[in-house]
Amino acid sequence: MDKQTEFVLRTIEERDIRFVRLWFTDVLGMLKSVAIAPAELEGAFEEGIGFDGSAVQGFARVSESDMIARPDSSTFQVLPWRGETLGVARMFCDIQLPDGSPSYADPRYVLKRTLEKAANMGFTFYTHPEIEFYLFKQKFKSGFRPVPVDDVGYFDHAPHGGGQDFRRTAITMLESMGISVEFSHHEGGPGQQEIDLRYADALTTADNIMTFRLVVKEVALEQGLQASFMPKPFEEYPGSGMHTHMSLFEGDRNAFYEAGKELQLSNVGRSFIAGLLRYAPEITAVTNQWVNSYKRLAGGHEAPSYVCWGSNNRSALVRVPMYKPHKGNSARVEYRALDSACNPYLAFAMLLSAGLKGIEEDLPLPPGAEDDVWSLSPGERKAMGLEPLPTSLNRAIQAMERSELAAETLGEHVFDFFLRNKRAEWDEYARIVTEYERKKYLPVL
């Protein structure tokens, strides 16, 4: 038994933890959970917990349903909202087949496999997400417009504002679970909040995002509010994205930094961006997997709609932030299309895989776009060679269907299930879409 496992078992006994929740996600990024008694935990570490994989979205067919959830002791944390007495803890799990091999359907394994490829190339992948969401005064009611918790805007400090009180409570909970928060503030829409997590390796970040979404919803419920990570809940206000900063490190050295180069950006960083641009259409199917996602991407408010990059341009898909241009370890690229409702494991796997492909193939970086892409005429965008992102989930699915990169990164099982599920979702939407939505968001079905 390793030291971390011993620490977990000792902590559970010392803190009187009565339930241990084992977490994992399905292919669509929905959090799953099973609670076990502390007495069963040592056995779970050794043998895992069996469950019916055919009952989980995208995991297995009925004829091959037996699966095992094996807890990762490094992810152990006590859930602060459950109280100090009769406590509850959680751990993320790796999903395995009965023979002990990794499950082909586990999104966490998809990311681990891609991180291993990066490691074989000498890289460690770090990510830093800026997570946006809306707070509403009450639960959604069908046919009624949700009411935001406040009516202020970007960086506004509202006296007695429900948003800032909410953020303080949520951040306190996150940090008590070992999830470091860098910034928090009010975003551009009424009731819209942003909380930015500190840089961490991509697997830890993905685990933290799943925890973050649950913490935010738990705190909202405690305060009589409702939190929503829906990409575009209002037509006239900004959508909720998850702009993600990324960097590759070779040991302690940031591989994206090279002093004296334009933007201090190394050839590795340039090829990484070129890979993101080359494979942007199929990436979008995963980073923006919902029909509603494309209402955000087509809705303006600094949401990217065209495949381009820039150094100081928030209308670009990929941005090279210049906050600290001479601090090598701060060199990074920002991908701006992600929703805060995506599956972070699959999204990070696709982004990393595309960037690594750019490095492997030494793809050239096209000229940057420093103008507001939204303000350009169609002719100007065409002259610059700017291709649009997919205009709908249907278009993203078509790009993904043709993509060898997506099939290789996700694996055959996840790739096939994801496409089937998204195709069914699109077909249902296309059947009931209103004429107004069709004209505004879907110029081509």
Side-chain angles (χ1 to χ4, degrees):
M1 187 180 298
D2 60 44
K3 290 184 178 180
Q4 178 62 24
T5 302
E6 290 177 355
F7 166 77
V8 170
L9 295 173
R10 185 172 65 252
T11 302
I12 285 175
E13 182 177 356
E14 291 174 352
R15 297 188 60 172
D16 193 28
I17 301 299
R18 295 300 179 89
F19 297 95
V20 180
R21 290 202 166 271
L22 306 184
W23 288 0
F24 60 93
T25 63
D26 66 16
V27 173
L28 301 180
M30 302 303 174
L31 187 64
K32 303 294 180 179
S33 175
V34 57
I36 65 172
E40 303 299 320
L41 187 55
E42 190 168 349
F45 281 130
E46 294 177 359
E47 300 178 354
I49 297 294
F51 69 97
D52 178 5
S54 67
V56 177
Q57 280 267 51
F59 265 32
R61 295 171 292 192
V62 173
S63 59
E64 50 187 26
S65 60
D66 288 345
M67 287 191 168
I68 295 168
R70 188 180 295 274
D72 180 346
S73 61
S74 69
T75 66
F76 174 82
Q77 287 292 342
V78 177
L79 301 182
W81 63 86
R82 302 300 293 178
E84 290 295 322
T85 59
L86 304 179
V88 180
R90 73 94 162 101
M91 279 179 284
F92 282 94
C93 292
D94 294 311
I95 306 303
Q96 299 178 342
L97 301 178
D99 63 3
S101 62
S103 168
Y104 39 75
D106 181 11
R108 204 166 186 262
Y109 176 64
V110 170
L111 178 55
K112 280 187 169 185
R113 191 173 59 225
T114 312
L115 292 172
E116 184 177 356
K117 178 181 178 181
N120 290 337
M121 295 173 65
F123 298 123
T124 305
F125 184 46
Y126 288 92
T127 54
H128 154 60
E130 303 173 351
I131 310 175
E132 299 172 347
F133 57 95
Y134 273 87
L135 281 179
F136 301 124
K137 288 184 177 179
Q138 74 282 315
K139 293 186 69 174
F140 292 124
K141 294 182 180 179
S142 180
F144 291 87
R145 180 183 172 90
V147 180
V149 73
D150 57 46
D151 192 24
V152 297
Y154 184 71
F155 264 44
D156 283 349
H157 184 90
H160 307 294
Q164 64 193 36
D165 293 340
F166 173 90
R167 294 195 301 272
R168 183 175 65 244
T169 303
I171 290 168
T172 300
M173 276 196 183
L174 289 167
E175 294 192 330
S176 73
M177 297 182 70
I179 299 174
S180 297
V181 172
E182 190 169 35
F183 302 113
S184 71
H185 59 86
H186 198 285
E187 252 301 331
Q192 191 181 29
Q193 320 295 320
E194 177 177 309
I195 298 177
D196 301 352
L197 304 186
R198 193 173 294 278
Y199 255 102
D201 67 273
L203 183 63
T204 298
T205 303
D207 288 343
N208 288 348
I209 290 168
M210 296 305 303
T211 305
F212 176 97
R213 294 201 293 224
L214 183 62
V215 166
V216 164
K217 291 180 179 180
E218 290 284 353
V219 174
L221 287 172
E222 286 183 2
Q223 297 186 3
L225 306 172
Q226 181 163 18
S228 173
F229 293 93
M230 185 177 184
K232 186 73 170 175
F234 297 108
E235 178 184 0
E236 69 272 33
Y237 300 131
S240 291
M242 189 171 72
H243 306 153
T244 298
H245 299 246
M246 303 176 286
S247 56
L248 293 177
F249 273 71
E250 295 175 303
D252 295 330
R253 187 184 72 85
N254 190 330
F256 285 178
Y257 178 75
E258 185 173 337
K261 294 277 285 189
E262 183 184 1
L263 304 178
Q264 317 298 321
L265 187 65
S266 70
N267 290 336
V268 168
R270 293 172 184 276
S271 294
F272 190 92
I273 295 173
L276 295 176
L277 300 179
R278 169 74 62 87
Y279 298 103
E282 52 259 58
I283 290 173
T284 307
V286 178
T287 59
N288 307 84
Q289 64 168 310
W290 309 106
V291 166
N292 185 257
S293 301
Y294 296 83
K295 297 179 181 180
R296 169 181 163 252
L297 295 182
H301 296 285
E302 295 186 353
S305 295
Y306 290 86
V307 179
C308 60
W309 76 279
S311 63
N312 196 27
N313 184 358
R314 282 176 165 77
S315 67
L317 173 64
V318 182
R319 195 171 75 90
V320 180
M322 298 300 293
Y323 297 121
K324 302 174 183 177
H326 300 293
K327 188 175 180 181
N329 281 352
S330 293
R332 60 199 189 272
V333 302
E334 177 189 4
Y335 197 85
R336 296 179 58 80
L338 284 88
D339 302 333
S340 52
C342 70
N343 182 332
Y345 302 100
L346 300 186
F348 288 169
M350 285 293 293
L351 290 168
L352 175 57
S353 187
L356 294 178
K357 198 75 169 175
I359 295 170
E360 288 177 322
E361 298 179 358
D362 195 22
L363 295 179
L365 184 62
E370 297 306 334
D371 295 320
D372 178 1
V373 176
W374 273 95
S375 68
L376 300 176
S377 69
E380 290 172 322
R381 288 193 285 262
K382 185 176 181 180
M384 293 174 64
L386 301 186
E387 294 293 329
L389 279 174
T391 56
S392 66
L393 180 59
N394 184 46
R395 291 296 189 188
I397 292 168
Q398 292 172 355
M400 188 175 176
E401 286 173 333
R402 299 188 296 267
S403 173
E404 292 183 7
L405 179 82
E408 178 184 339
T409 302
L410 300 179
E412 181 181 356
H413 182 91
V414 172
F415 180 77
D416 288 345
F417 172 80
F418 196 90
L419 281 176
R420 289 198 308 273
N421 180 274
K422 295 298 117 184
R423 175 62 68 193
E425 182 180 333
W426 174 259
D427 289 345
E428 174 63 15
Y429 175 71
R431 185 179 66 81
I432 64 174
V433 64
T434 66
E435 190 61 28
Y436 172 80
E437 288 181 304
R438 188 186 301 274
K439 289 180 179 178
K440 179 160 179 70
Y441 297 110
L442 309 176
V444 181
L445 282 176

